[in-house]
Amino acid sequence: MTPDFQPVLLWSDALLFALLAAGAGFAWWSRRQVQLAVAWARVGRNPLAMAAATLLAFFVLVGTLDSLHYRPRLPPVPGQAAAGTQYAVEVLSALDALLAPLRENSEKTYSAPLATHLFAKETLPGSTLRDFPRLHWGGQHLGERLAAYDGDIARRALLGLTGGLLAWALALLPWRKKLGAGNAAKKAVALTLLTVFLLAGVAFALGQGYHVLGTDKVGQDVLYLSLKSIRTGLLIGTLTTLVTLPLAVLFGILAGYLGGWVDDVIQYLYTTLNSIPGVLLIAAAVLMMQVVIDAHPGWFATTAERADARLLALCLILGMTSWTGLARLLRGETLKLRELEFVQAARAFGAGHGTIMRRHILPNLLHLVVIALVMDFSGLVLAEAVLSYVGVGVDPTTISFGTMINAARMELAREPMVWWSLVAAFGFMFVLVLAANLFADAVREAFDPRTSS
Amino acid sequence: MFAYLVRRLLYALPILLGVNLLTFALFFVVNTPDDMARMQLGVKRVTPEAIQKWKAERGYDQPLVWNAAAEGIGQATQTIFFNKSMRMFVGEFGRADDGRDIAREIARRAGPSLAIALPTFVLGLGAALAFALLLVFFRATALDLGGVILCVAMMSISGLFYIIGGQWLVAKVWHWVPISGYAPGLTAAKFLVLPVLIGVIAGLGASTRWYRTIFLEEIGRDYVRTARAKGLAESVVLFRHVLRNALIPILTGVVVVIPTLFMGSLLTESFFGIPGLGSYTIEAINAQDFAVVRAMVFIGSVLYILGLVATDVSYTLADPRVRLQ
C-alpha cells in the first residue's frame, strides 16, 4: 500500500519549524531563569497582551498548517498501473486540504461577497441577452429558488454562531473552574477565543455554499487567499530575525566589549549600511537576486521551490539591511556593562574575553533582544506589502497580502468598485499587525527594567 | 564649529566610498554585465552581438576595476568602477536607459518631491508634537489611554491603506480634489493637499506615541518637580521646561524619520502621479534601469550623511551646553 501523498519539505518550512522549536526551547529555558520568568509572568497577567497572544496563536496555527506541504498522489492511469505511483507536480499544504471546497470551487472572475451572480454582465449562453451569469458554486444549492436567499444566509449564519458557541464551550470545559476566579487575563483569552470561534463558525457555515469574501479577478476565493497570505507574512516577520539576530548580537557585543579598531570597523560597517535608504538597498539587492535566479533556471525543480527561494532571499536581504539598529543598541548597552563590577570581578578571576561576553554580557542583553524581536515583527509584515507594491517583494506567484493588494489596486477605478479583495487583505493584515503591536508593547513594558521598577 | 563641520564632512568620504563599493559589488560582481544584458534584452533576442551592443551603449564593456590594456593612469580610469562609481562623487551620473541625463532629470524632479515632502514633514512634526503634549497633559486619564490605543491602531494600518482609502474617500466620493496629477507653480496646491494630508495622518500614530514616551521620561526628572514647586502652572511646565529639554531626543529621532520620509514619498508620488524623485525611482526599479537606481542610492546616502551633520548642528541650537569641537 503506497501512501496517498508524498511529504514535501520546502526550505522555508524547515526553517519555520526550526524557529518554532527554538522558540519552544527558549520558553522552556526561560522558565528556569528567574528574571525572564518574572517578566513573562508579567506579560501573562496583562489582559490585552493575552488577548493579542491568543489571536497571534491562531495566526501561527494557520501558518503552521500551511507549512505542512505534500504532493497528492495522482489517480492511476488505466493501462499504466505497473509504472508505479505518480505524484502531482503541484505542491499543496495541510491548509489547502482543509480548505479544499474553497480552493477547488473557483468562479470565472470577480464576484461580490456572498453573491450568487458574477460581478460583470456577460452574454448568456443560448440567448443574445446580456445579464449577470450565475456563479458555478456560490449559491448553486439554491437552484431557481433565489427568493430563499435571505433565509438561507440567516439560517447558515445562525447555525455557524451556534456551532461556534458549542465548540467554544467544549474547548473551555476542562478549564471552567479556573475561569471563575476573576482573573482578567484568562477572561480576556476566553473572550478572544469566543470571538474567533464565532467568526470561524459563521465563515465555515456560509463557506459551505458561498464565497464568504467574494472572488478575485481569476475567480479565486478571497477568504482562501487571505488565509494563505498569513504564512507569507509570518515567514517574512520571523525568518528575517534568523539573519538579524546573529549579526546584531555578534557585532554589537564585539564592538562594545572589545572597542578599539574592531569597534571602528563595525561602526563604519553599520553607518555605511544605514546611510543607504532602506527601500533602495532592498530594491537593488532584489533586482540583482532576480538576475541570479533568471540566469540559473536549473536550480529549482518546481515553481514552488523557486518562489520559496525568492521568499528566503527576501528575508535574507531584509535581515542584512535591518540588523544595524539592534547592533547599535547592543553596542551601547555593552559599553555600559563592560565597566560594571561583576564584569571586572570576572576578569579578575581570570575569565577569558569569550567567556565574559557569553556568560556575563549576553544574558544581560537578552531583554533588549526579546523586545527588538517582537517590535520588528509588525514592521516587517507591513514592509512586505509595500515592497510587493514597488515590485521588489515576494514572487508574483506567492500568495501574500502584498500581491493581493497589488492585484486589487488595478480595479479601483472600476465603477462600481471591486472593494472586497482590498478590504480582506487590509483587514487581515490589520488584525495581525495590531495583535503583534499590542503584544510587543506588553513585552516591552514587562522586560524593560526602566518601566518595571 | 567650522573645523568640526569640515572634519565631519571629510569623515563622510569613506562612508560614501563604502556605499559605492557596496553598490558596485551588488551590480557588477554578483552579476556580470552579460547577465544584466541577457535579462534586459529578454531570452529571444539574445545574441553575443546584441549583448556587446547593449554593453557598449552603456559603457559596460570595460574591465571592472583594472584595465591592463590601457596606459598609465588609464589603467585605473578606463574601468567600470571608475566611470560608473567614482564619477558620482562629482555629480556625473551618466545616462538613463531612455538616453536622458540622470543629473538633469534629478534636478528637475527635486522640486515636486520637496513640495510634498517638506509640508508633510513640518505639518506631521507639528501635529504629532501637539497631540503628544495633549496626551501628556492629560496623562493617566481615560483620554490618555484612549489616545495611546488609537495611536497603536493607527500604527497597525498599512501605509498603502491610508493612500488608497484617502484617494477613494476624498477624491472619488467627495470630489474635493483631483485623484492624481501635478502642475507647476501655484496651481500645484490642489494636487498637493491630499498627499500631504495623507502623509501627515499616516505618520501620526507612530510619532505621537514616540514623543509621548520622550515627554513622560522627561517629566519624571527633578527639574520638573522644582518647576512645579515654584508654583508654575502645568502648561508652563510642559511648554517651557519639558518641551525644551525633550528637544535633544526629538531632534535625534527626526533624523531617523528622514530616510523613511523618502520611502513614504516613494509610494505617495507613484500613487498620485507626482513627477518627483520617488516616482522616478519606482519607474527605474520597474524598468530595471540600473544606472538610475545606482544614482539614487548614492544621493540617498549623501542626504543621510548631511542629515546626521545637520542633527549635530541642531543640538547646539537647542542646547547651549552642547559645543561642537
Side-chain angles (χ1 to χ4, degrees):
Chain A
M1 178 69 193
T2 48
D4 276 346
F5 59 88
Q6 180 190 39
V8 175
L9 191 69
L10 296 177
W11 273 104
S12 56
D13 302 339
L15 289 171
L16 184 70
F17 293 138
L19 204 64
L20 283 177
F26 178 75
W28 181 76
W29 176 79
S30 63
R31 279 169 67 105
R32 299 184 307 156
Q33 311 291 314
V34 180
Q35 260 154 7
L36 290 177
V38 167
W40 282 121
R42 213 175 286 141
V43 177
R45 282 195 298 275
N46 184 336
L48 207 55
M50 290 318 284
T54 316
L55 273 180
L56 284 179
F58 272 100
F59 280 111
V60 171
L61 181 72
V62 171
T64 314
L65 279 179
D66 203 9
S67 297
L68 297 166
H69 284 108
Y70 69 96
R71 284 160 70 178
R73 191 175 62 174
L74 290 176
V77 183
Q80 276 190 351
T85 333
Q86 297 283 318
Y87 294 101
V89 185
E90 193 185 16
V91 178
L92 296 177
S93 74
L95 189 75
D96 291 320
L98 283 178
L99 300 176
L102 297 183
R103 187 172 59 85
E104 283 157 10
N105 295 304
S106 59
E107 305 295 340
K108 200 168 161 198
T109 179
Y110 294 109
S111 71
L114 299 177
T116 54
H117 290 80
L118 267 189
F119 182 67
K121 280 190 180 178
E122 273 179 18
T123 314
L124 295 179
S127 75
T128 51
L129 211 65
R130 277 179 68 83
D131 200 3
F132 300 105
R134 279 294 291 269
L135 296 183
H136 297 302
W137 190 65
Q140 200 58 49
H141 57 280
L142 291 176
E144 292 305 309
R145 297 172 290 112
L146 280 180
Y149 173 77
D150 291 340
D152 188 52
I153 295 279
R155 194 177 53 81
R156 281 170 187 268
L158 205 64
L159 208 65
L161 284 176
T162 325
L165 196 66
L166 276 177
W168 175 74
L170 276 177
L172 286 190
L173 210 56
W175 287 285
R176 65 185 185 283
K177 288 217 177 76
K178 284 185 184 166
L179 277 171
N183 184 327
K186 290 204 178 84
K187 273 191 181 147
V189 171
L191 277 179
T192 317
L193 282 177
L194 177 64
T195 319
V196 174
F197 271 86
L198 288 182
L199 283 177
V202 173
F204 180 77
L206 287 171
Q208 300 291 317
Y210 300 94
H211 295 289
V212 180
L213 294 177
T215 54
D216 75 347
K217 185 168 186 171
V218 288
Q220 274 182 304
D221 190 277
V222 172
L223 179 63
Y224 169 74
L225 291 179
S226 311
L227 289 174
K228 291 283 281 182
S229 301
I230 290 173
R231 173 177 184 265
T232 316
L234 285 179
L235 280 181
I236 300 247
T238 53
L239 290 190
T240 303
T241 57
L242 279 182
V243 184
T244 320
L245 205 56
L247 285 176
V249 170
L250 187 71
F251 285 149
I253 293 182
L254 279 181
Y257 182 78
L258 294 178
W261 66 269
V262 180
D263 190 20
D264 288 341
V265 169
I266 292 172
Q267 278 203 65
Y268 171 73
L269 203 63
Y270 69 61
T271 316
T272 306
L273 271 179
N274 242 0
S275 74
I276 304 177
V279 216
L280 280 179
L281 185 57
I282 294 167
V286 170
L287 280 182
M288 288 304 110
M289 177 193 74
Q290 190 70 34
V291 179
V292 172
I293 288 181
D294 284 358
H296 303 275
W299 286 359
F300 312 106
T302 58
T303 40
E305 269 178 49
R306 204 189 60 215
D308 195 57
R310 183 152 173 190
L311 183 68
L312 288 181
L314 184 65
C315 290
L316 183 74
I317 291 164
L318 279 171
M320 294 295 274
T321 53
S322 61
W323 59 272
T324 52
L326 181 59
R328 188 157 54 181
L329 201 66
L330 293 179
R331 172 183 169 271
E333 200 64 20
T334 310
L335 277 178
K336 264 187 252 165
L337 289 173
R338 188 177 68 170
E339 305 301 328
L340 292 185
E341 285 88 351
F342 71 91
V343 175
Q344 284 171 359
R347 208 172 292 146
F349 276 121
H353 288 319
T355 319
I356 293 179
M357 283 189 263
R358 203 176 61 247
R359 302 272 317 259
H360 301 284
I361 306 252
L362 181 61
N364 285 298
L365 297 174
L366 269 185
H367 68 282
L368 288 177
V369 173
V370 173
I371 293 172
L373 286 192
V374 288
M375 300 283 280
D376 281 353
F377 175 81
S378 49
L380 287 166
V381 175
L382 290 177
E384 187 273 326
V386 172
L387 291 176
S388 293
Y389 168 76
V390 180
V392 293
V394 294
D395 193 82
T397 57
T398 308
I399 302 172
S400 80
F401 293 124
T403 45
M404 272 178 82
I405 292 169
N406 213 1
R409 191 175 52 87
M410 309 296 174
E411 302 302 323
L412 278 181
R414 231 176 138 119
E415 195 69 44
M417 216 164 95
V418 178
W419 50 268
W420 44 91
S421 313
L422 272 182
V423 170
F426 281 130
F428 270 86
M429 200 156 67
F430 175 67
V431 174
L432 174 60
V433 174
L434 183 65
N437 272 336
L438 289 174
F439 187 67
D441 265 7
V443 168
R444 193 183 49 178
E445 222 162 81
F447 277 76
D448 195 339
R450 278 182 308 181
T451 56
S452 59
S453 58
Chain B
M1 174 113 160
F2 181 72
Y4 173 84
L5 285 183
V6 170
R7 208 170 64 236
R8 273 304 295 268
L9 290 175
L10 282 180
Y11 279 152
L13 283 179
I15 291 177
L16 286 177
L17 197 65
V19 169
N20 262 342
L21 279 174
L22 193 75
T23 41
F24 178 76
L26 261 180
F27 281 96
F28 296 109
V29 181
V30 176
N31 297 288
T32 60
D34 288 37
D35 285 335
M36 288 195 287
R38 231 168 270 135
M39 177 164 159
Q40 283 244 316
L41 295 171
V43 188
K44 283 179 191 162
R45 280 177 291 157
V46 164
T47 56
E49 295 80 47
I51 290 178
Q52 277 310 321
K53 185 163 165 285
W54 188 89
K55 277 161 64 182
E57 272 171 8
R58 285 162 181 74
Y60 292 156
D61 51 353
Q62 290 170 326
L64 284 182
V65 285
W66 191 253
N67 193 344
E71 295 285 317
I73 191 89
Q75 288 189 324
T77 56
Q78 290 174 20
T79 58
I80 292 182
F81 182 65
F82 183 83
N83 282 326
K84 296 296 166 191
S85 289
M86 298 308 285
R87 276 180 193 272
M88 290 205 280
F89 277 103
V90 290
E92 284 181 31
F93 298 111
R95 287 180 186 285
D97 281 348
D98 59 6
R100 290 195 201 165
D101 186 47
I102 297 177
R104 190 172 304 154
E105 196 74 357
I106 287 173
R108 202 169 60 80
R109 285 168 174 266
S113 268
L114 270 185
I116 289 217
L118 210 59
T120 311
F121 177 67
V122 173
L123 289 177
L125 189 65
L129 282 178
F131 278 118
L133 280 172
L134 188 77
L135 292 185
V136 172
F137 192 79
F138 291 101
R139 64 188 169 278
T141 63
L143 186 80
D144 183 30
L145 183 70
V148 171
I149 291 180
L150 185 71
C151 284
V152 176
M154 283 175 79
M155 280 168 64
S156 308
I157 298 173
S158 168
L160 291 166
F161 179 79
Y162 284 109
I163 298 178
I164 294 176
Q167 267 188 334
W168 174 74
L169 191 70
V170 179
K172 206 172 161 191
V173 178
W174 292 343
H175 292 291
W176 284 358
V177 288
I179 287 187
S180 66
Y182 189 74
L186 278 179
T187 41
K190 71 174 176 188
F191 292 106
L192 293 182
V193 171
L194 186 58
V196 168
L197 187 74
I198 288 173
V200 169
I201 293 175
L204 202 56
S207 37
T208 302
R209 210 174 65 127
W210 167 242
Y211 297 141
R212 177 183 167 271
T213 319
I214 292 176
F215 289 143
L216 281 184
E217 221 162 85
E218 208 61 36
I219 221 161
R221 301 266 161 104
D222 286 342
Y223 74 86
V224 177
R225 202 185 317 161
T226 312
R228 288 209 193 103
K230 284 195 301 187
L232 294 181
E234 184 67 16
S235 54
V236 180
V237 174
L238 271 186
F239 286 99
R240 287 265 173 77
H241 295 250
V242 173
L243 182 58
R244 193 107 196 249
N245 279 287
L247 267 182
I248 292 275
I250 290 175
L251 287 173
T252 315
V254 163
V255 177
V256 183
V257 172
I258 289 173
T260 39
L261 199 83
F262 193 72
M263 175 163 175
S265 62
L266 212 71
L267 288 180
T268 315
E269 284 180 19
S270 89
F271 266 100
F272 287 94
I274 299 205
L277 289 174
S279 51
Y280 190 47
T281 314
I282 283 213
E283 283 159 24
I285 291 173
N286 286 333
Q288 291 168 343
D289 192 331
F290 303 109
V292 177
V293 175
R294 224 164 34 228
M296 295 308 293
V297 167
F298 184 77
I299 289 176
S301 318
V302 171
L303 290 177
Y304 176 81
I305 291 166
L306 285 180
L308 284 185
V309 179
T311 317
D312 284 354
V313 175
S314 71
Y315 286 163
T316 61
L317 301 177
D319 188 343
R321 287 169 301 183
V322 177
R323 287 225 169 74
L324 302 177
Q325 320 235 303

